Amino acid sequence: RRQRQMCIRDRPNTEAIYFLHELKRELGHKFKIDVIGKYNEQLKLECYELNFLGFVDDLSEKLTKYDLYLCPIFSGAGIKNKLLEASYMKIPVISTREATIGTSLKAGVDYVNAETISDFVSEISNLSTNEVLRRSLAQNASLKIENSFSWNKVIKCYEEEYNKAVSYTHLTLPTIYSV
């Protein structure tokens, strides 16, 4: 097997695409996996079972057609915006723990945790046949994202921090005299 080379900046997404490629092989033709976001042509050639969409103009609109959102991120930092968007849009999520860091989402309540190919296969099968669980996870996650990451919540946090900074600045600025 040829060693895979990747840019460090794109490493988490590249790892995820190779993982999805292996997952698709395990799932067979029963499921289709679309990849939204940046990719290179070599990756597309190597992972031919996947459907590469590239960047989309309206992620929310695109997500509405999916039954599940898979997020196999194993490294990296920062909040995964597509994961938040899918959760907010009430798309049931199967994800690694790494991908949910910083989101306040809880495994088994807001999303289903999976760390290996066999975990993902099992959970895809489970969620595909359990509509009650799909709805429950989707509703819980959407509510949590709305309460934690909505623009109103973000603005409120910024206003609170701004007000703290302004009152701190007024209290601690020394008087400067010039000659």
Side-chain angles (χ1 to χ4, degrees):
R1 185 179 239 187
R2 187 175 74 78
Q3 185 176 4
R4 297 176 178 141
Q5 297 179 1
M6 59 188 88
C7 171
I8 295 298
R9 185 176 65 83
D10 295 331
R11 182 175 175 197
N13 291 337
T14 303
E15 286 174 339
I17 290 170
Y18 282 120
F19 184 90
L20 290 171
H21 175 68
E22 296 297 322
L23 177 61
K24 177 64 173 130
R25 287 181 168 174
E26 288 292 319
L27 292 171
H29 296 291
K30 187 175 180 183
F31 296 94
K32 178 177 144 188
I33 298 178
D34 289 347
V35 177
I36 298 173
K38 186 168 82 171
Y39 66 90
N40 64 52
E41 287 302 316
Q42 182 61 38
L43 197 56
K44 185 176 179 179
L45 290 172
E46 289 181 36
C47 301
Y48 53 88
E49 288 103 347
L50 304 175
N51 183 32
F52 288 85
L53 303 179
F55 287 104
V56 295
D57 290 329
D58 186 346
L59 181 60
S60 296
E61 181 183 319
K62 185 57 83 176
L63 287 173
T64 61
K65 76 176 211 169
Y66 296 108
D67 299 310
L68 297 172
Y69 180 80
L70 308 179
C71 194
I73 299 292
F74 298 96
S75 63
I79 293 179
K80 301 2 173 231
N81 290 318
K82 289 180 201 139
L83 171 68
L84 295 177
E85 188 77 18
S87 297
Y88 181 73
M89 298 291 300
K90 298 181 181 174
I91 312 299
V93 172
I94 302 174
S95 178
T96 57
R97 288 195 197 285
E98 179 70 30
T100 64
I101 292 173
T103 65
S104 74
L105 296 174
K106 288 189 172 42
V109 176
D110 307 310
Y111 76 98
V112 174
N113 177 249
E115 300 293 332
T116 66
I117 295 285
S118 61
D119 291 346
F120 272 85
V121 169
S122 175
E123 296 304 343
I124 289 168
S125 177
N126 182 32
L127 282 180
S128 295
T129 59
N130 190 336
E131 187 175 338
V132 172
L133 180 57
R134 279 196 319 269
R135 274 199 217 143
S136 174
L137 292 168
Q139 186 64 38
N140 292 343
S142 182
L143 187 59
K144 186 166 285 179
I145 297 303
E146 184 176 347
N147 289 334
S148 300
F149 294 96
S150 71
W151 279 113
N152 289 337
K153 177 73 173 181
V154 171
I155 289 168
K156 184 178 178 185
C157 288
Y158 276 118
E159 285 175 344
E160 288 172 3
E161 291 303 315
Y162 174 78
N163 289 333
K164 282 186 214 173
V166 168
S167 67
Y168 178 76
T169 302
H170 287 165
L171 294 174
T172 60
L173 279 181
T175 306
I176 300 174
Y177 298 96
S178 66
V179 180

